[in-house]
Structure formats: C-alpha cells, structure tokens
C-alpha cells in the first residue's frame, strides 16, 4: 500500500514523462490480477490520475488498458462507476465519436465492461442519456462501417447496446419508432465479420423481446424480427413446398450451402428470443404460422449431434414444448 501511495504523484500529468511511463507500466502490471485490482481501487486519487492520463497522448494507451483491466472484474467496474463515471462516460463517448481517435476500440471496451453488471447499467445510462442523442449517435458510429479512420472497428459497441438494453430506459431508446434504431441494428444479427458485433446485436434483440408490450410491433410487417432470429438458426436442410410456403421469404429454399450460426452462445440467445416472443398467445400463433417449429425441429437434430451444445438443446426443447401445446 505504501509503495502504491508513492506511485501516485508520478501518475500526475505534471510529473516528468519518463516517470509517468514507468509508473503507469507498473500499475498496468498490477491490474493483471484480481488482488492487484482490489488494491488499486482503494486509492481514488490514483484512479482519477489514470483517467486524467487517458488524455495524455504519450501514455493514453496504457492508461486506458489499466481501466479495461480494472473494469473487467465486476468489483472493479463498480468502483470505477462509483468514483469516475461522471467524467469517464462523457470522455469515452467523445473519444468513440472522434473518427480520428486511435483508442476508440479501447474506450468501447471500457463502456462495455462497466455496463455488463445489470446493477451498473442505470447509473452509466443516466450519464449517457444526459448527452443529447448519445445512443443514436453511437448507433451511427456502429452501423457506418469504417466510420473510424484509424482502423478501429467499434465492434464492442454491440455488447454495449446489449448491456444497456437490460434497462427499461435503454430498451425504450432502441424501440423508439421515430428514430428506428432497432431496425438499423437488426442486420448485424447476421454480420459475418465479427462474433462480438453479431453477438451484441443478438443480445440487444433478446433483451428487447423481453418486453411483451412491444411484441406486436416486433412481429408486424414493418419490423418483422422473426426472419432475423430464424435465419441464423437454419441449416442446409431441405423442406417440402408446403413447409417452405409457411416460412418467411428469407428462409425459403435456402440450399445446401446454408450455414448455421457457429457460436453456441449466440444460438442460445436467438432461441431465448423466440421463448420471449411466446409470452403472448398472438406471439405463439405467429411463430407457429411462420414455420418456427420446423426450423427448431431441424436445429434440435443438430444440437443432439457432436457439433451441438447441451445448453442450446435445452433452450430449443423449452420453446418446442410451448409451441406444440
């Protein structure tokens, strides 16, 4: 603890550069263990200095890496939200919006980490929503491929959106029919380039499906989320003409090259989205009438194979039980 106290002055922006670099490197090493993080979060001045150093170009990368490591642990994320969120959230937001920022991906990861625990979503979201159109602008960054000119991909905005939608207030922003954010994000459910981006979009969709009050809207002709859920669950299996007629157009006659979603956790979230949509009678009827059972029947066979996953299998059986009642 005494050694840590001695480091604090050297982490100030007013300290000599060589001392800042060495001290920050030492702190970064300490963040490599849970015990080290527990030690660091007891020193509020040190944490504030770390945030200050994220604007010092010579050491900003290591300072943000420290914040990523600290917030990767739930108790670390809780401490950062408690002590720094009022300054950290706007700083992260501005960095992500800056198309010339080299550290936008790192800042996305910090925001993702501090919104993963459900109890931290509301305080972080409060700061985000205090910035006019913050989630709308972040959605633009996410949906505009190559938005960042420094080769940051912004994939971790996907999990951030998923995390934020754990909150009713967060879901309300994404389900705003005027701004159409959900409709802009749905195509990323099928994004091939990044499982992080794809998983984030699916997580958002699953959380939105949790709210039965928007089910009629989600399943209407305008939004029509069902094909987005079913398509990644479908494989190369052939159906007869009668079954194909039941299926949404995007799922008809897919052919032998159709590949199923590879990530089990993403498949599980998709199936759990279907379970949520079964909460109302209209939802169950809509799913039955549009070939959901037939897609899940083939998915069940896949999940029973060596390539399958037991957790996904259990989720499939849960939905099938509801649909065949």
């Amino acid at each position: 603890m005494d050694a840590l106290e001695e480091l604090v002055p050297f982490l100030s922006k007013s300290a000599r550069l060589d001392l800042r670099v060495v001290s920050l490197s030492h702190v970064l090493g300490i963040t490599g263990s849970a015990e080290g993080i527990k030690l660091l979060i007891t020193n509020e001045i040190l944490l504030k200095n770390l945030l200050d150093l994220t604007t010092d170009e010579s050491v900003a990368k290591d300072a943000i890496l420290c914040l990523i490591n600290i917030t990767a642990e739930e108790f670390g994320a809780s401490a950062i939200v408690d002590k720094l969120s009022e300054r950290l959230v706007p700083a992260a937001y501005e960095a992500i919006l800056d198309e010339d920022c080299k550290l936008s991906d790192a800042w996305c990861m910090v925001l993702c980490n501090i919104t993963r625990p459900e109890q931290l979503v509301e305080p972080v979201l409060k700061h985000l929503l205090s910035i006019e159109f913050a989630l709308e602008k972040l959605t633009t960054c996410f949906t505009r491929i190559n938005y960042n000119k420094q080769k940051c991909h912004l994939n971790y905005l996907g999990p951030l959106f998923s995390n934020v939608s754990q909150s009713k207030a967060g879901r309300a922003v994404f389900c705003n029919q005027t701004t159409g954010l959900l409709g802009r994000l749905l195509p990323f459910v099928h994004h091939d380039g990044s499982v992080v981006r794809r998983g984030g979009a699916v997580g958002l969709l699953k959380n939105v499906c949790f709210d039965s009050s928007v089910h009629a809207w989600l399943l209407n002709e305008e939004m029509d989320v069902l094909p987005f859920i079913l398509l990644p669950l479908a494989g190369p299996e052939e159906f007869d003409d009668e079954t194909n007629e039941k299926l949404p157009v995007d799922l008809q006659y897919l052919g032998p090259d159709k590949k199923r979603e590879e990530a089990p956790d993403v498949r599980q979230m998709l199936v759990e989205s279907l379970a949520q949509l079964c909460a109302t009678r209209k939802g169950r009827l809509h799913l039955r009438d549009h070939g959901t059972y037939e897609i899940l029947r083939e998915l069940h066979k896949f999940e029973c194979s060596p390539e399958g996953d037991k957790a996904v299998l259990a989720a499939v059986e849960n939905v099938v039980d509801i649909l065949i009642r």
Side-chain angles (χ1 to χ4, degrees), residues 203-312:
L204 167 63
L205 180 54
K206 177 195 162 189
N207 288 339
V208 166
C209 288
F210 176 77
D211 186 353
S212 59
S213 70
V214 296
H215 283 186
W217 172 65
L218 292 174
L219 295 172
N220 71 16
E221 286 186 20
E222 181 191 357
M223 285 303 295
D224 199 18
V225 301
L226 189 59
F228 289 97
I229 300 173
L230 293 181
L231 189 59
L233 298 176
E237 300 84 12
E238 290 185 20
F239 295 107
D240 58 31
D241 289 346
E242 185 180 346
T243 301
N244 271 301
E245 285 301 314
K246 282 180 70 175
L247 293 169
V249 173
D250 291 347
L251 281 95
Q252 294 177 6
Y253 305 101
L254 289 174
D257 297 329
K258 172 65 173 71
K259 291 183 179 178
R260 203 171 255 114
E261 168 59 56
E262 293 179 355
D265 56 337
V266 176
R267 292 201 305 276
Q268 185 172 346
M269 286 191 290
L270 288 163
V271 176
E272 288 171 348
S273 300
L274 294 172
Q276 304 280 20
L277 291 171
C278 287
T280 64
R281 183 172 180 275
K282 281 187 177 180
R284 293 191 293 276
L285 289 173
H286 186 89
L287 267 59
R288 286 189 195 117
D289 290 346
H290 290 81
T292 301
Y293 169 76
E294 287 77 5
I295 295 293
L296 291 183
R297 183 186 64 205
E298 299 306 316
L299 177 62
H300 187 272
K301 295 175 187 175
F302 172 81
E303 301 300 350
C304 287
S305 76
E307 296 175 81
D309 181 271
K310 289 182 179 178
V312 184

Side-chain angles (χ1 to χ4, degrees), residues 16-27:
R16 269 180 19 213
L17 176 59
D18 57 335
L19 295 176
R20 287 203 305 274
V21 171
V22 171
S23 301
L24 194 54
S25 177
H26 185 62
V27 171

Side-chain angles (χ1 to χ4, degrees), residues 186-193 198 201-202 227-232 250:
L186 278 176
F188 292 94
V189 166
H190 306 151
H191 185 75
D192 288 332
R198 193 164 72 247
V202 171
F228 289 97
I229 300 173
L230 293 181
L231 189 59
D250 291 347

Side-chain angles (χ1 to χ4, degrees), residues 121-122 125 129 135-136 161-183 204 207-211 213-214 217-218:
V121 173
E122 290 288 353
L125 188 58
L129 295 182
L135 286 174
E136 290 83 352
F161 297 154
S162 174
N163 294 345
V164 164
S165 65
Q166 294 177 91
S167 153
K168 185 178 180 180
R171 291 193 296 274
V173 175
F174 288 110
C175 291
N176 185 319
Q177 296 181 39
T178 303
T179 56
L181 294 193
L182 185 62
L204 167 63
N207 288 339
V208 166
C209 288
F210 176 77
D211 186 353
S213 70
V214 296
W217 172 65
L218 292 174

